């Protein structure tokens, strides 16, 4: 049987190990990889619609980037980590959509605005 002291030490060690992993991950400044989005998703869009969607995504990515910078400069933890994870996922998805739109614009030989 494990004594309460040993059990407490295991939880403390687990807490410190988890904290170190979270800190190293947050400070690593890792690159966000775009999620793959099939370009054929946009095949029915006109060149004008594609450019409009592209512009919307650029605006969205700028806003998400600003939110992430603010979130990363905040020294608090907890819910902030979850929010940052959500922002990172949205950036990844939006960047994937942006890439798919660019491929479709190229395939349709559209002028990029």
């Amino acid at each position: 049987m494990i004594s309460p002291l040993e059990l407490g030490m295991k939880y403390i060690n687990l807490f410190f190990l988890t904290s170190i992993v979270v800190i190293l991950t947050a400070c690593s400044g890792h690159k966000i990889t775009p999620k793959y989005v099939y370009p054929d998703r946009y095949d029915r869009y006109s060149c004008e619609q594609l450019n409009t969607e592209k512009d919307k995504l650029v605006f969205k990515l700028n806003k998400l980037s600003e939110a992430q910078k603010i979130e990363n400069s905040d020294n608090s933890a907890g819910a902030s980590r979850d929010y940052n994870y959500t922002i990172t996922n949205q950036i990844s998805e939006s960047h994937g959509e942006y890439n798919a739109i660019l491929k479709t614009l190229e395939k349709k030989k559209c002028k990029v605005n």
Side-chain angles (χ1 to χ4, degrees), residues 46-61:
S46 69
C47 291
E48 184 179 338
Q49 289 171 318
L50 287 167
N51 277 303
T52 300
E53 288 300 311
K54 178 187 64 66
D55 293 343
K56 286 179 186 177
L57 284 167
V58 168
F59 180 78
K60 181 179 180 180
L61 284 164

Side-chain angles (χ1 to χ4, degrees), residues 21-37:
V21 169
V22 167
I23 289 169
L24 289 176
T25 303
C27 296
S28 69
H30 68 284
K31 184 178 176 181
I32 299 173
T33 305
K35 290 188 179 177
Y36 183 77
V37 175

